[in-house]
């Protein structure tokens, strides 16, 4: 959340509309199993697990959500949890 707010403070919310997700490829990783048990995220058609962060925020720009997701992925890396950011433009998800 901090990274998202910082991005908006510095850059505004005037970019391409869209969003971003954090995606986990290893469905058997302990953290992903925990997410599934807690009902956080959803399966993707690619066989990966997707978590939508920052839902309900008033921002529209894809890069705002990317900033928040990238910060989360960096924190996960510190804990040896593999994840990546997938962003999408308004009304179309790109994987």
């Amino acid at each position: 959340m901090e990274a998202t707010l910082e991005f908006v403070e510095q850059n505004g919310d005037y970019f391409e509309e869209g969003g971003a997700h954090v995606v986990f490829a290893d469905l058997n990783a302990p953290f992903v199993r925990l997410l599934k048990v807690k009902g956080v995220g959803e399966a993707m058609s690619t066989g990966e697990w997707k978590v939508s962060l920052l839902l309900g925020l008033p921002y529209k720009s894809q890069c705002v959500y990317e900033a928040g997701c990238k910060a989360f992925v960096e924190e996960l890396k510190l804990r040896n949890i593999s994840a990546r950011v997938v962003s999408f433009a308004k009304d179309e998800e790109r994987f």
Side-chain angles (χ1 to χ4, degrees), residues 37-48:
V37 166
K38 296 290 186 179
V40 177
E42 61 185 290
M44 297 172 56
S45 60
T46 60
E48 298 170 299

Side-chain angles (χ1 to χ4, degrees), residues 10-69:
Q10 293 176 1
N11 304 289
D13 185 28
Y14 307 106
F15 304 95
E16 179 181 18
E17 288 189 39
H21 309 291
V22 174
V23 176
F24 300 88
D26 184 0
L27 297 180
N28 292 314
F31 185 70
V32 177
R33 289 195 318 256
L34 176 65
L35 291 173
K36 291 164 81 175
V37 166
K38 296 290 186 179
V40 177
E42 61 185 290
M44 297 172 56
S45 60
T46 60
E48 298 170 299
W49 193 256
K50 167 178 83 171
V51 175
S52 299
L53 299 177
L54 311 166
L55 293 175
L57 292 180
Y59 308 118
K60 296 180 182 177
S61 299
Q62 174 180 326
C63 54
V64 171
Y65 292 97
E66 285 176 351
C69 288

Side-chain angles (χ1 to χ4, degrees), residues 2-3 6 12 16 18 20 30 38-39 60 62-63 69-70 74-75 83 90 93-95:
E2 274 183 47
E6 184 176 313
E16 179 181 18
K38 296 290 186 179
K60 296 180 182 177
Q62 174 180 326
C63 54
C69 288
K70 286 177 182 176
E74 289 303 313
E75 286 296 317
K90 182 180 177 186
E93 292 190 26
R94 297 186 302 248
F95 299 102

Side-chain angles (χ1 to χ4, degrees), residues 70-84:
K70 286 177 182 176
F72 185 59
V73 166
E74 289 303 313
E75 286 296 317
L76 292 170
K77 283 182 185 177
L78 295 174
R79 291 156 181 80
N80 294 318
I81 299 170
S82 178
R84 62 188 173 90

